Amino acid sequence: MADLMHTPLFGLHGELGAKMTAFAGYDMPVQYPMGVLKEHLHCRAAAGLFDVSHMGQVIVSPLKGDAHDAARALETLVPADILGLAEGRQRYGLFTNDTGGILDDLMIANRGDHLFLVVNAACKAQDIAHLTDGLAGSCTVTPIEDRALVALQGPDAEAALCGIAPIAADMAFMDVAVTDSAFGTLWISRSGYTGEDGFEISVPNSHAVEFARALLAHASVVPIGLGARDSLRLEAGLCLYGADLDTATSPIEADLAWSIQKARRTGGARAGGFPGAERILHELSHGTARRRIGLRPEGRAPMRAGTALFADETGGAEIGRVTSGAWGPSVEAPVSMAYVASGHEAPGTTIWGDVRGRRMPAAVTPMPFRPATYKR
Amino acid sequence: MTTKFTEEHEWIRREDDVVLVGITEHAATQLGDLVFVELPDVGTQVAKDDEIVVIESVKAASDILAPMDGEIVEVNEAVVENPAMVNEDPMGKGWFFKLKPEDMSAMDDMMDEAAYKKFVG
């Protein structure tokens, strides 16, 4: 195996007793001594600190003009309305390919004279090449290598961050801010990927460890690994790229039509103009052959990724597959995401998953499985 | 009361003519928090290495194998209701089933505690 990369917090993870795992080329904490289940519950009850420094931070600056010029250029690569994104605001978006599949999902922030993007670790090199190539002649694309990224999530996140960055209290969900602190200039967004209120904070590498220690010194904050991050995002109904989204899956199949605002849809001010627009806009009006759904299996046995799904308890052809599935510690029951053939997506429909050779019932359930607690 | 261990990280404790079976502390720690346990029916005849218990942790599913030939005479419904009990007390309250072995001497070849400790390093 090739040498794994380390985030600036690698040494701290060891000190905190993390069990490490290879993830997207990085040696990352999968859990701390508290364990996945308790970490998950603690994040929802108090606050958790996640090292997400493996994710890609990218600045897209226009060669001329301001963030609007960069926004106009970026709209050629993503179906979201970026031109309509106000300064100081962030939005979820997708890179699509020419066949309408998804190359990656990302966050896009308008920071006045440029855009700031956060992309998935596993896709980061490819995304940066895609941006550099797609925006050549209009923007410069700068990967940020000298900053760590942490997520502070949960009901006590604001209290924990305010001691360091008082501006946090004034931010609403999806607001972004740049602020000076004892740990250098922080880039803060009020967002995350757990369904909880919280923040993602970019901090200079040189201050990352002391910043993390300062947050962990708060009585409510514990470190949380990738294990609980996965069950938290699953309960929140949020997609994991590579599991629930891929290059063959369109945003409409993925039930992410909400990430394509009116301006980019048929009849909108800037309809289309992104890769795969023909398929995606057609699907928006005419529907898709399959759809991402939430599933609540009966009983306690999780239906994990790959579980084959059927319309009936016996016989019949496969109607879809689970793409993410686990125990939901806050739901106190197993939860799954799946793709099923159209006609089976109505909430309340019972479908059957093959678990160890036996078909087990599961109810199609609206997501999130647990209501989000974002501060609007 | 003799307790022996298998390479599958199960413990087997003799109680008269039956044995109590569970997973070791090491296994429970490696698996992480258990969320699901499925036990065999009482009366089931099992052969050594049959997959007779399914457990799921927050990470993955695993099978527990029958350590010896015999008959299932009792199962611990409490761990079905509360799988976390296995993590809390794997060598005690977190037992899975009682087995009446066809040949109790099959325990003789299993690892004792010292050998198991060496096995897991």
Side-chain angles (χ1 to χ4, degrees):
Chain A
M1 190 163 62
D3 284 346
L4 293 172
M5 290 176 279
H6 292 172
T7 74
L9 299 179
F10 177 78
L12 182 61
H13 299 317
E15 202 180 296
L16 294 168
K19 186 191 268 186
M20 305 297 283
T21 191
F23 183 84
Y26 286 80
D27 202 6
M28 297 298 288
V30 64
Q31 66 172 80
Y32 297 87
M34 188 183 245
V36 175
L37 206 65
K38 291 193 179 78
E39 288 173 27
H40 176 116
L41 295 171
H42 185 94
C43 180
R44 297 233 189 272
L49 182 69
F50 305 72
D51 180 10
V52 288
S53 305
H54 56 314
M55 297 182 77
Q57 304 178 63
V58 185
I59 283 184
V60 176
S61 295
L63 295 178
K64 280 188 301 195
D66 60 15
H68 285 104
D69 299 277
R72 198 172 288 110
L74 188 61
E75 284 194 355
T76 64
L77 302 181
V78 304
D81 174 0
I82 309 301
L83 210 49
L85 182 65
E87 182 174 345
R89 295 286 294 161
Q90 175 176 277
R91 178 165 277 174
Y92 176 82
L94 304 165
F95 287 124
T96 49
N97 64 22
D98 289 337
T99 53
I102 301 169
L103 292 169
D104 197 8
D105 60 346
L106 71 155
M107 287 293 186
I108 303 150
N110 177 343
R111 298 211 307 198
D113 57 0
H114 65 270
L115 301 175
F116 176 59
L117 278 45
V118 177
V119 303
N120 281 306
C123 303
K124 131 171 111 171
Q126 163 206 306
D127 289 345
I128 290 163
H130 184 61
L131 282 163
T132 306
D133 186 41
L135 306 183
S138 61
C139 298
T140 55
V141 175
T142 313
I144 305 301
E145 308 285 3
D146 58 354
R147 285 181 162 264
L149 189 67
V150 299
L152 181 66
Q153 301 279 292
D156 295 342
E158 181 185 292
L161 185 56
C162 274
I164 295 167
I167 195 174
D170 302 325
M171 298 172 70
F173 182 58
M174 289 294 203
D175 278 353
V176 298
V178 173
T179 189
D180 287 328
S181 77
F183 308 99
T185 302
L186 304 179
W187 301 349
I188 305 176
S189 72
R190 192 157 200 157
S191 65
Y193 221 60
T194 60
E196 292 298 319
D197 178 29
F199 302 86
E200 289 192 352
I201 309 127
S202 171
V203 54
N205 284 343
S206 53
H207 291 290
V209 171
E210 27 168 343
F211 177 63
R213 281 191 206 282
L215 291 172
L216 290 168
H218 195 280
S220 295
V221 182
V222 303
I224 301 197
L226 292 176
R229 183 170 168 82
D230 193 50
S231 53
L232 287 160
R233 69 90 196 164
L234 178 56
E235 280 185 343
L238 299 168
C239 294
L240 173 65
Y241 191 82
D244 311 304
L245 306 176
D246 58 33
T247 53
T249 303
S250 80
I252 314 307
E253 289 175 324
D255 201 20
L256 297 174
W258 58 268
S259 73
I260 307 172
Q261 289 77 16
K262 205 175 151 195
R264 308 301 308 279
R265 299 187 181 197
T266 305
R270 297 180 313 287
F274 50 85
E278 193 178 347
R279 171 185 172 190
I280 293 166
L281 295 181
H282 182 269
E283 288 183 354
L284 258 176
S285 332
H286 297 87
T288 55
R290 62 187 191 124
R291 183 70 71 150
R292 182 173 65 95
I293 56 156
L295 276 181
R296 286 278 302 262
E298 276 182 25
R300 290 185 64 99
M303 286 185 189
R304 297 190 187 268
T307 301
L309 300 170
F310 299 86
D312 297 297
E313 188 171 3
T314 53
E318 187 178 310
I319 58 165
R321 292 251 167 175
V322 172
T323 50
S324 287
W327 180 257
S330 302
V331 176
E332 297 183 43
V335 288
S336 296
M337 273 187 208
Y339 281 82
V340 292
S342 294
H344 303 280
E345 72 273 32
T349 306
T350 298
I351 61 178
W352 302 79
D354 183 326
V355 179
R356 292 178 280 272
R358 279 205 312 243
R359 289 199 192 171
M360 308 295 283
V364 177
T365 306
M367 291 184 285
F369 296 106
R370 189 182 176 283
T373 55
Y374 306 134
K375 187 188 166 191
R376 302 278 180 185
Chain B
M1 205 164 61
T2 318
T3 304
K4 292 290 191 84
F5 297 84
T6 72
E7 294 187 0
E8 311 294 332
H9 306 284
E10 291 164 36
W11 55 264
I12 293 96
R13 185 176 303 142
R14 183 168 177 180
E15 289 184 347
D16 300 326
D17 61 341
V18 300
V19 293
L20 204 58
V21 180
I23 58 170
T24 64
E25 182 110 39
H26 172 81
T29 304
Q30 291 299 312
L31 289 165
D33 305 298
L34 293 202
V35 297
F36 172 75
V37 177
E38 187 179 68
L39 298 173
D41 293 331
V42 170
T44 308
Q45 293 290 335
V46 300
K48 183 176 185 301
D49 295 340
D50 281 357
E51 297 168 354
I52 54 171
V53 175
V54 177
I55 57 177
E56 298 237 16
S57 75
V58 286
K59 294 172 199 160
S62 318
D63 293 305
I64 303 298
L65 310 182
M68 319 154 80
D69 297 347
E71 182 187 344
I72 303 293
V73 293
E74 192 179 335
V75 297
N76 185 5
E77 292 292 348
V79 299
V80 176
E81 294 298 317
N82 179 18
M85 199 182 277
V86 179
N87 296 98
E88 286 156 13
D89 191 10
M91 304 283 289
K93 286 181 186 155
W95 62 279
F96 288 138
F97 56 84
K98 286 182 185 174
L99 177 79
K100 186 168 187 189
E102 277 174 20
D103 177 11
M104 192 63 86
S105 70
M107 266 184 93
D108 298 347
D109 299 334
M110 294 177 187
M111 291 180 275
D112 61 15
E113 189 169 2
Y116 179 69
K117 276 189 174 152
K118 198 178 280 180
F119 174 69
V120 297

